[in-house]
Amino acid sequence: MLKSSYFVLLLSLVSFFGYGQNNGLFCDQIIALKRTIKINHYQPKVVDDSLSTHVFDLFLNSLDEDKRLFTKSDVAQFEHDRFTLDDYINTGSCEFINNYTTILSARLEDTKRVISNIETEDFDYTGKDTLIFKPETTFKYFNNDEALKNYWSKRLRYNILYTLVENDSVLEHIKNDFKALESALKPKVIQKELCKLEELKNRLGSVDNFVKEAFLNAYLHYQDPNSSFFNASEKEMFVNALSNDQLSFGIITSKNDDGDIIIVHITPGSAAFNNVDIEVNDVIKSLSTNMKTLETYCVSDEDVLAFTSDQNHNTITFKIKKQNGTLQNIELTKTKTKTEENTVFGYIIEDKSKVGYISIPSFYSDLESPNGLGLANDVAKELYKLQKENIAGLILDLRFNGGGSMKEAADLSGMFINRGPLSILRYSNGETYTINDMNRGALFTKPIVVLVNNYSASASEFFAASMQDYNRAVMIGSATHGKASAQVIIPIDTNEALGFSKMTVEKFYRVTGKSHQAQGVIPDIILPNLYDGFNTQEEFIAYALKNDSIAGIQNFPKLKKLPIEQLKKKSLSRIDNDATFNALKRLNKLIIKNYFELDTEYPLTLDNVYSEMIRYKNQWNTINTPLENHSARFTVKNTEYTKEIISYNDDKKTINQAILKDIKTDIYIEEAQRVLQNLLNLMPQN
């Protein structure tokens, strides 16, 4: 790295005159956040040396997570702040942040220069250098400039070899034309890495913004991992994710291999849908309002989403590059659009009995509706349609449901029990409040199976726990995420320009007084899981709230115990002899071995990279074949009402066919259907 004293001095001056101008806002944010945490957080931590050292580690990790930018000398310099961040917070001092912004900016530029300079060098693929693969936890900061250059030289060479094999799996083809293929690919691979660095440089608008928000988030994440800082755009995006009706342009974007932001989906009925000039696969070159323009080259898809989600950007001019190469400026104004991902539909699964199936993606709510109608209301409508089809039971799928509105979770729980307490909230002062189902009677009284996995969290766990405590449903799958806390979005100051916080303000407990915090809701029947051993649950996240218990409710109107042991025995027998579930177990072990526990090295040659890639690919294909070819014996179809609705819309027909296929090939849904069939046999309905 070119770290001359002149260069460092120049950057220091830029820091003083450039970044320092914005520090007034940052100082105010620190003061406001400290006050807000103390008043509102469920378990605020003392601002002392202990807080300082932990926030320091979180902050540094968020700036350079893979340890590929900072050097050991940089980190040694930062270490002076390890026990002084608490002093800065207590005094509202914020000039310390400039050092991090200055050095991160410098390292980004240094890395870009190193990568750019490498492009002129001839790469050595003879095996003189060795590739070393280690688990991420063993990553270390670079010792010096030579280590940085050596890393990028090997990484770029590996990326080139990897891409060549990915493009053509016949080794002889690559060898026969290696020089030309390598020469053509090299600048593309280098440009891709430069673009990633440019994205980081432009994240949140500037390195300065990125560093400051990283610190505010580190401060909040030390309180607990579910508390975080939001700027106005991030707050808007989060709120929209919890609503099935939102103001939007109706455009979903993605980044292609060339670094372009392309339109991958247009929501039916949206502003974009109603404009004939905008199409899927169009490239977005820039976004402009009266006040601001975002050029999309080397900008992340997340930053594009933040720009379009900004509540101040209700009208945007999209500069679009069509597939024929022409450019168009298209002005769109946000309209209220129903979010497809936050909408539920009921399906019929038929084998020996006819049962209903509903996948619940999140516990969304219409935040602008006077009645707050959302997920529970939508499920009620689908249940009505399913019951018209005379279903004997119901499968509710909560896999990958990260939560949402607790009110929706309570309303949904109340649809399946007669009446009674659902959960106990506990506030920071120790007071408790019992959430009750106040509506006598149940909307659906037949047997239920609920599918969960380790990505089912928060409101999902609220619902799953209440169903389990009331003996209302059989829970199958894997232990859930383990988040038994509730957050609210609040401005950190009366001046909302300072930003917002999603802050943990309470914990919730099962009616028994037990908690699933950091443990998860344990299913009645545990199924093999592709994500076993990934350690993504709350218990593996630093500073997660601890599990505890409180006094529960002794007498609540739970139902007669379900025949869990009989169902478990039958399910276990099926799973042990099921080729697809056994394949899934082997696939899980393959992923763990090759991604989480990989610890190997070999000479950097085309032959070695090829053999490693082909070995893994062949293993994957062999194991994955039973899963790819699996098809359940049941039939799956739409309700009569849904058939009529989709008959008028070709897009909906296409999406519907894909969903029907997914249901039929999903081994978990198949096992849920078998468990439900066993339950129906053991509990015959009148």
Side-chain angles (χ1 to χ4, degrees), residues 93-111:
S93 174
C94 55
E95 297 305 314
F96 74 93
I97 204 72
N98 295 341
N99 191 37
Y100 297 87
T101 304
T102 299
I103 293 178
L104 180 58
S105 297
R107 298 302 160 259
L108 286 168
E109 293 303 322
D110 289 341
T111 306

Side-chain angles (χ1 to χ4, degrees), residues 54-65:
H54 291 298
V55 170
F56 176 83
D57 287 334
L58 285 168
F59 177 45
L60 203 58
N61 185 63
S62 65
L63 295 182
D64 186 12
E65 189 173 1

Side-chain angles (χ1 to χ4, degrees), residues 2-19 98 101-110 113:
L2 303 173
K3 285 204 295 184
S4 67
S5 58
Y6 171 77
F7 184 65
V8 173
L9 175 61
L10 178 61
L11 280 169
S12 298
L13 291 172
V14 170
S15 169
F16 182 79
F17 292 111
Y19 309 135
N98 295 341
T101 304
T102 299
I103 293 178
L104 180 58
S105 297
R107 298 302 160 259
L108 286 168
E109 293 303 322
D110 289 341
R113 272 193 297 278

Side-chain angles (χ1 to χ4, degrees), residues 624-638:
N624 197 45
T625 297
L627 293 166
E628 290 262 320
N629 298 332
H630 180 76
S631 182
R633 67 186 181 189
F634 60 66
T635 58
V636 55
K637 60 185 181 181
N638 301 109

Side-chain angles (χ1 to χ4, degrees), residues 12 167 356 400 435 461 515 587 620 649 656 675 679:
S12 298
N167 292 342
F400 303 102
I435 299 175
E461 296 173 286
S515 171
L587 205 58
W620 178 278
N649 188 306
N656 180 67
V675 170
L679 183 59

Side-chain angles (χ1 to χ4, degrees), residues 352-618:
K352 294 176 182 177
S353 299
K354 187 190 290 187
V355 300
Y357 170 82
I358 299 176
S359 175
I360 299 175
S362 71
F363 285 86
Y364 57 85
S365 185
D366 187 347
L367 303 176
E368 294 182 5
S369 166
N371 300 315
L373 298 179
L375 179 278
N377 186 60
D378 287 352
V379 171
K381 291 176 183 176
E382 292 304 305
L383 267 179
Y384 174 78
K385 299 169 196 173
L386 287 170
Q387 292 193 90
K388 296 278 279 187
E389 306 273 352
N390 297 312
I391 59 170
L394 179 66
I395 299 168
L396 293 174
D397 193 342
L398 271 69
R399 291 174 298 167
F400 303 102
N401 182 322
S405 165
M406 194 176 290
K407 175 188 177 298
E408 294 294 337
D411 288 347
L412 186 68
S413 301
M415 286 163 49
F416 301 112
I417 65 170
N418 183 33
R419 195 176 184 179
L422 298 170
S423 183
I424 305 169
L425 297 183
R426 186 178 188 274
Y427 307 110
S428 58
N429 61 6
E431 293 182 5
T432 60
Y433 172 79
T434 301
I435 299 175
N436 287 286
D437 169 33
M438 304 302 293
N439 300 314
R440 187 174 293 280
L443 192 62
F444 185 81
T445 58
K446 295 176 181 178
I448 300 173
V449 167
V450 176
L451 261 171
V452 293
N453 68 3
N454 50 351
Y455 293 98
S456 305
S458 195
S460 296
E461 296 173 286
F462 177 110
F463 174 77
S466 62
M467 293 297 95
Q468 196 175 52
D469 288 339
Y470 272 84
N471 298 321
R472 181 60 190 92
V474 179
M475 211 67 48
I476 73 170
S478 52
T480 60
H481 182 72
K483 177 181 175 292
S485 60
Q487 290 73 38
V488 295
I489 299 177
I490 52 177
I492 64 172
D493 190 76
T494 52
N495 175 13
E496 293 191 358
L498 297 187
F500 303 82
S501 171
K502 175 171 70 75
M503 190 169 294
T504 298
V505 295
E506 59 201 21
K507 287 177 72 174
F508 59 93
Y509 296 78
R510 301 172 76 137
V511 288
T512 59
K514 293 181 180 179
S515 171
H516 62 261
Q517 171 61 29
Q519 291 183 356
V521 176
I522 310 301
D524 302 308
I525 299 171
I526 295 177
L527 304 179
N529 181 14
L530 184 64
Y531 309 101
D532 284 339
F534 284 22
N535 296 349
T536 57
Q537 299 97 313
E538 184 116 345
E539 66 175 300
F540 299 106
I541 304 175
Y543 314 113
L545 298 176
K546 302 300 182 186
N547 182 274
D548 61 357
S549 59
I550 60 174
I553 297 167
Q554 297 300 314
N555 298 308
F556 57 94
K558 59 184 174 183
L559 304 174
K560 182 182 176 182
K561 282 189 175 182
L562 294 165
I564 298 299
E565 289 306 315
Q566 293 164 275
L567 295 172
K568 188 187 294 185
K569 186 177 179 181
K570 290 177 182 291
S571 179
L572 184 61
S573 176
R574 281 192 299 269
I575 298 302
D576 284 345
N577 296 289
D578 190 288
T580 50
F581 272 109
N582 285 324
L584 186 138
K585 291 177 192 175
R586 294 198 300 276
L587 205 58
N588 168 259
K589 290 179 181 177
L590 181 66
I591 294 170
I592 295 291
K593 180 180 177 182
N594 283 274
Y595 284 93
F596 295 97
E597 297 175 352
L598 185 63
D599 191 349
T600 188
E601 61 180 277
Y602 53 81
L604 179 54
T605 66
L606 173 61
D607 285 323
N608 283 327
V609 172
Y610 178 87
S611 62
E612 280 295 307
M613 285 181 66
I614 295 302
R615 179 191 62 79
Y616 179 72
K617 185 178 179 180
N618 289 340

Side-chain angles (χ1 to χ4, degrees), residues 195-479:
C195 210
K196 288 179 184 176
L197 292 166
E198 196 66 24
E199 281 180 27
L200 181 56
K201 182 179 172 183
N202 295 323
R203 190 172 174 184
L204 299 177
S206 69
V207 175
D208 188 37
N209 289 342
F210 169 63
V211 170
K212 287 170 179 174
E213 288 203 17
F215 179 79
L216 297 174
N217 268 307
Y219 185 14
L220 277 161
H221 290 338
Y222 176 58
Q223 309 301 319
D224 82 286
N226 296 302
S227 293
S228 55
F229 175 81
F230 286 160
N231 59 41
S233 295
E234 290 164 338
K235 177 236 183 186
E236 194 74 10
M237 288 162 60
F238 184 81
V239 170
N240 284 344
L242 297 179
S243 173
N244 67 330
D245 282 297
Q246 57 181 257
L247 282 173
S248 76
F249 298 106
I251 291 173
I252 296 176
T253 60
S254 181
K255 192 158 191 166
N256 67 14
D257 290 337
D258 295 326
D260 293 322
I261 299 293
I262 60 169
I263 297 172
V264 294
H265 180 71
I266 296 174
T267 306
S270 66
F273 184 84
N274 294 325
N275 190 303
V276 296
D277 293 324
I278 202 157
E279 300 171 290
V280 169
N281 292 324
D282 283 348
V283 176
I284 300 176
K285 303 300 288 183
S286 70
L287 303 165
S288 300
T289 66
N290 291 333
M291 304 292 292
K292 195 173 182 182
T293 295
L294 177 69
E295 301 290 342
T296 61
Y297 183 68
C298 287
V299 169
S300 70
D301 193 43
E302 290 75 13
D303 283 337
V304 171
L305 179 60
F307 192 93
T308 57
S309 298
D310 193 316
Q311 59 186 347
N312 297 315
H313 298 169
N314 285 327
T315 297
I316 289 178
T317 298
F318 291 72
K319 180 181 273 190
I320 297 294
K321 183 179 180 181
K322 308 298 290 184
Q323 292 184 66
N324 63 8
T326 60
L327 293 172
Q328 290 186 30
N329 288 320
I330 301 169
E331 185 177 276
L332 295 178
T333 299
K334 290 177 182 176
T335 58
K336 200 164 189 180
T337 308
K338 197 171 187 68
T339 307
E340 294 172 352
E341 292 80 1
N342 286 348
T343 304
V344 298
F345 291 99
Y347 299 88
I348 297 166
I349 292 175
E350 197 164 2
D351 187 8
K352 294 176 182 177
S353 299
K354 187 190 290 187
V355 300
Y357 170 82
I358 299 176
S359 175
I360 299 175
S362 71
F363 285 86
Y364 57 85
S365 185
D366 187 347
L367 303 176
E368 294 182 5
S369 166
N371 300 315
L373 298 179
L375 179 278
N377 186 60
D378 287 352
V379 171
K381 291 176 183 176
E382 292 304 305
L383 267 179
Y384 174 78
K385 299 169 196 173
L386 287 170
Q387 292 193 90
K388 296 278 279 187
E389 306 273 352
N390 297 312
I391 59 170
L394 179 66
I395 299 168
L396 293 174
D397 193 342
L398 271 69
R399 291 174 298 167
F400 303 102
N401 182 322
S405 165
M406 194 176 290
K407 175 188 177 298
E408 294 294 337
D411 288 347
L412 186 68
S413 301
M415 286 163 49
F416 301 112
I417 65 170
N418 183 33
R419 195 176 184 179
L422 298 170
S423 183
I424 305 169
L425 297 183
R426 186 178 188 274
Y427 307 110
S428 58
N429 61 6
E431 293 182 5
T432 60
Y433 172 79
T434 301
I435 299 175
N436 287 286
D437 169 33
M438 304 302 293
N439 300 314
R440 187 174 293 280
L443 192 62
F444 185 81
T445 58
K446 295 176 181 178
I448 300 173
V449 167
V450 176
L451 261 171
V452 293
N453 68 3
N454 50 351
Y455 293 98
S456 305
S458 195
S460 296
E461 296 173 286
F462 177 110
F463 174 77
S466 62
M467 293 297 95
Q468 196 175 52
D469 288 339
Y470 272 84
N471 298 321
R472 181 60 190 92
V474 179
M475 211 67 48
I476 73 170
S478 52

